[in-house]
Amino acid sequence: MRWQGQWVEDRLGIGLEGDASLRDLLGLALRRNPKRAHLLVSQVLGKHVPVAPSAVHGSGAGLGRRVRALLGDEEAARAVVLGYAETATGLGHAVADGLGLAPYLHSTRRPVPGVTPVGGFEEEHSHATSHLLLPEDPALLSGDGPLVLVDDEFSTGRTVLNTITALHARFPRERYVIVALVDMRGPADRARLTDFAAGLGARVDVLSLASGTVRLPEGVLERGQELVAQHDSVPTALPAPPSRRGEPPRRVDLGWPTGVPDGGRHGFTPAHRAALDEALPAMAARIAEALPADARRVLVLGNEELMYAPLRLACALETALGGPAEDQARRGTDRANRVRGCDGAGRGGGAGGHGACVGETPVDDPAAARPASGGDRVGGPGAGRVDGPRGGHETGPGVRGSGPGNGRADHVRGRRAAEASGPADGRCEADGQAGGPDAGRADGMRERRGTTRSGPADGRHRADRQASVPHAGRVGEACERGGTAPTAPTAPAGSRIEADDQAAGPDAGRTESIRSRRATARDGHHPAVDVRFSTTTRSPVLAVDDPGYAIRTRLVFPAHDEPADGPGHRYAYNVAGAGFDAVVAVVDAHGDTPELHAPGGLLDVLAPHTGQVLLAVVPSHTPKAPTMPEPLRGPAFSSYGPRDVGWLLQDLSDVTLEAPTEEREEAIQSGGAHYAESLPVEYQPSAEYQALFRAALDASAPRMAHAVGVVTETVLAERSPRPVLVSLARAGTPVGVLMRRWAHHAYGLDLPHYAVSIVRGRGIDRTALRWLAAHHDPADVVFVDGWTGKGAITRELADALAGSEEGFDPRLAVLADPGHCVETYGTRDDFLIPSACLNSTVSGLISRTVLRSDLVGPHDFHGAKFYRELAGDDVSHDLLDAVTACFPEVGERVSRDAKDMAAADRTPTWTGWAAVERISEEYGIHDANLVKPGVGETTRVLLRRVPWKILARRGADADLGHVRLLAAQRGVPVEEVDGLPYSCVGLIHPRYTRGATGADGTAVTAP
């Protein structure tokens, strides 16, 4: 039998190099794709080639068992499996089945209303590139356990790198496992993954059934496109046997179990799997009962991303009608694919990890002389080596594996061994599917000939008879052997799907009928029913009627699931001419549309090529809308009054989050932690410092009242007459309360005010945004902060709200804008704002906000603590009352200055950011995040971080008394500087570890 890539190899020189088993696993075809001319057609995937479902599921489950062995049960239970749409949705799910302990999610190209994507990425060489991640519970991806990424082929690796890059930025983890049927990376692609993992600081393992490369001669893309155009221009059609269009399509009521999703689009857990396993035999019995009594060859046809549910139904049907082959196949794959993972003692968990992971094959296995299937491990520089059953060899720094020749298709060998020992009942066993579309043809499947000879001479139009039908010209079906789809004829009267009366019968009678059919098959009176599985696809591939080509026929029909990218053609390959007595089309409820049933639709184009079309509809899983949390209010949370502010936060008061300042600084600067994952120990002010605060408040209250009035008047005039104030906790919250008080003082307005969390590098609280959008018009929302420094939070807010579906305005309103970063402000002077002098005791006794994945779920608000125990030191209301008392005296000046400001040019110049970059370079810091400009930011450095030195503008002593006191208490030098655009600038220790001493930042050995 010719290899099903020979036609392409002969004409274009494209070939497979590497493991000898590659030709058993893959054929070649050409496709209409401007990025890559060839298509690797898997013989065990169940996408383009109808194959035994047990082999499809067994291939993935075997890989999943290898992943579990590699990780160990403890890590496997913490893992998440992620499959790629559309081709690998079923494969990924089968891997999750084999792993057994982990939930599963697959990417999707179908947006779902009400479900917010938690991520997305691009597949560069695909026909349709954009992927969405839509878990019902976004916490599915927020853990730090291993992430197992599954695709049918691992070619360049760019898609996987895009995925990991996108997810690692939000949910960093230490370990990734890449699983594919075939690993076809070249040396440059392998080196790229090694470097990528080293830069990430994570371990990356690669598992596959076989490995090698694709030989691509120069100019092959252009030549391939020419070849596709040539063969598309002269189509030859396959005649459809008239006897095949008889029975109208019939609907089978599956009795799908309540609460079980239709697949992994929104997540699928081990509990879902158990419920499905229990329900499968009864569902298979319903399908079997609806089949024609004399059916001997049946196709279960999935639909694009809907692969897993049809696959499991097909496996159960295979078992019910004379199988399963999977038991034999699994015994073979378990032997050939048995892999023992690293024992944990030497396993590296990131860049620089060491240790050997052994691929072990029992000595009595016939495959023992061959290396275990592919096992690259990438763990950063010096990650180690792999020792196979014949010993190990180095493949380069950080890569584990034996290169080409290592990733043997042990699964195929195992299936062959199982087939040899299986019953000689004429079934088309697992290895038979390597024949692909020729499986039902006289020149393609020797075992089918045996089956035909032993079967009844019933005169049906069998696959081997179809193979001899001359190509008499185009007929009115959308079936092609190398051509464009003709228009399908109008379906005959009565072709609409009829209810299957038998499907409504009792399960007991149905099961008894299935048992009878299985017993008959075992007794040898009739051959077992040959069940196959494949799915439709959106990918256009050239069909060529040649035994050396992987895609022999093509059915074309319109999309019937209302795709987001608009209507278009869909395809079913190698179905026509394969001699199926029945085709069971499985769709989800979303795809059960008029287009499915219309003339020229999927059901209509299938009908001429089979004796019976059955339709089984799986309910589309609709994720439940998450319950919105409610704002927290005082006095239960904070010392502010309940109408002063609603905190869109969760209360973490009972969680120990504080860490010593030096310990936090070392972790933050080393990259080991983010500043929002812990809290500094609350500063307890001395009597001297409290006296400074009182003096500063008395001196600054009128100035602060004036700035509050100006910014509030500007917001009311330019943004909204009834704004919803949303302060950025916590520096913005006292300002938001005061703006609310000004609006009531001046106009009698009772403005709503909320506090939300925003975290540099992580963005704004998305749950809080959803709450605001659900309760207020986003156009009325005005975000408020205390002051700008260099403008980092201003930029963070703009980035977080860019292109937001809700329509929030990213323009920030602040009390003071010394950095010239915003256009809505009360003043641009860098003056002492008394609320910057203290921490929680001037901000309603609320901590800085916390964002940590083990505490904050995807539907939770960010967290904070309420320091009730500090109530005796609370001066929050003292600040509010002192500033509010000055409102009457500044009223006239506020009115005048607000009008002047409205006419002024307030375009942000970002002079503060430029000054910060200059200071960073002048002082050898080279990190703008360690330069904190302005009185407020400098105060924060002294209260929360490890300061290096303070730069003070000469002559700015009036606002710097508390800064000089704090600096003296911490032994930090204050350097007088001329021409500084801020009153002062705080510099965080640029090379801090707990062994670093000295004000000059020189690192020394720790004692």
Side-chain angles (χ1 to χ4, degrees), residues 451-472:
T451 300
T452 303
R453 285 196 297 269
S454 63
D458 55 7
R460 289 197 309 275
H461 191 92
R462 302 290 300 191
D464 37 355
R465 297 179 188 177
Q466 286 188 22
S468 64
V469 175
H471 294 171

Side-chain angles (χ1 to χ4, degrees), residues 789-811:
K790 56 181 173 286
I793 290 298
T794 306
R795 293 186 175 188
E796 190 77 42
L797 180 66
D799 291 344
L801 298 181
S804 69
E805 296 180 359
E806 300 93 346
F808 290 105
D809 190 332
R811 291 178 296 168

Side-chain angles (χ1 to χ4, degrees), residues 379-407:
R385 53 184 285 154
V386 62
D387 297 323
R390 310 294 295 175
H393 73 264
E394 288 289 342
T395 60
V399 180
R400 299 176 66 173
S402 358
N406 180 39

